Amino acid sequence: PNRTLHTTTIGARTLLCSAAGRMIGPPHPGVPLAYGTAGFRARADLLDSTFFRMGALAVLRSRSRGGLAVGLMVTASHNAEPDNGIKLVDPDGGMLDVSWEPHASAVANAADADLAAALDAVADAVGVVSAGGGRVLVARDTRPHSERLSALALDGVSHLGGAGEDFGLLTTPQLHHIV
């Protein structure tokens, strides 16, 4: 569908919103998710909103680190084929800092109408005051739904005004190294 977009400022951050003033993105599936060592893992058909939201969160993580690149890996490693997942890679090439795991869970589980406020709360909590910048590198595995989920993550990056780069098919260690 054709959507009318406009830019709105929420706190010190700029988001692209629908004409109704809500963040654009897939609706939350109503299933709570928790970020852990392996990132988010669930059936792929439940993860559309999570991938979009983690793209936006990765922009905030990058901005909190002065614009250094953050990675998003789309993979469920050894899980069954219907599953997928997303891991955030910190600018040092390591896993997402544990202090950001509650932010990831809060954003992933925010009600649709509260998504912009949840992202704004993260930005306030970590001291992000700039609406510009943010670099996110996205890679995926070979699962049939990984390309679609990667595109949703890149949409989330775009909607928060970040720069996303699609690295296509990579292993998780390769993305960690590139970041």
Side-chain angles (χ1 to χ4, degrees), residues 65-97:
R65 298 295 307 274
L68 295 173
V70 168
L72 286 176
M73 185 66 202
V74 179
T75 182
S77 301
H78 306 287
N79 293 37
E81 186 278 326
D83 293 348
N84 216 317
I86 190 164
K87 296 179 185 179
L88 280 84
V89 179
D90 254 352
D92 64 0
M95 298 172 74
L96 178 67
D97 188 276

Side-chain angles (χ1 to χ4, degrees), residues 58 61-63 65-70 91-92 134-136:
R61 181 63 177 151
S62 174
R63 288 177 184 166
R65 298 295 307 274
L68 295 173
V70 168
D92 64 0
R135 183 172 177 223
V136 182

Side-chain angles (χ1 to χ4, degrees), residues 5 14 17 35 38 43 63 87-88 93 99 106 116 119 122 175-176:
L5 298 179
T14 300
C17 300
Y35 194 96
R43 283 190 348 255
R63 288 177 184 166
K87 296 179 185 179
L88 280 84
S99 68
L119 289 165
V122 172
L175 182 63
H176 279 265

Side-chain angles (χ1 to χ4, degrees), residues 121-143:
V122 172
D124 289 341
V126 300
V128 172
V129 294
S130 170
R135 183 172 177 223
V136 182
L137 314 180
V138 179
R140 64 183 176 276
D141 67 11
T142 59
R143 290 169 187 265

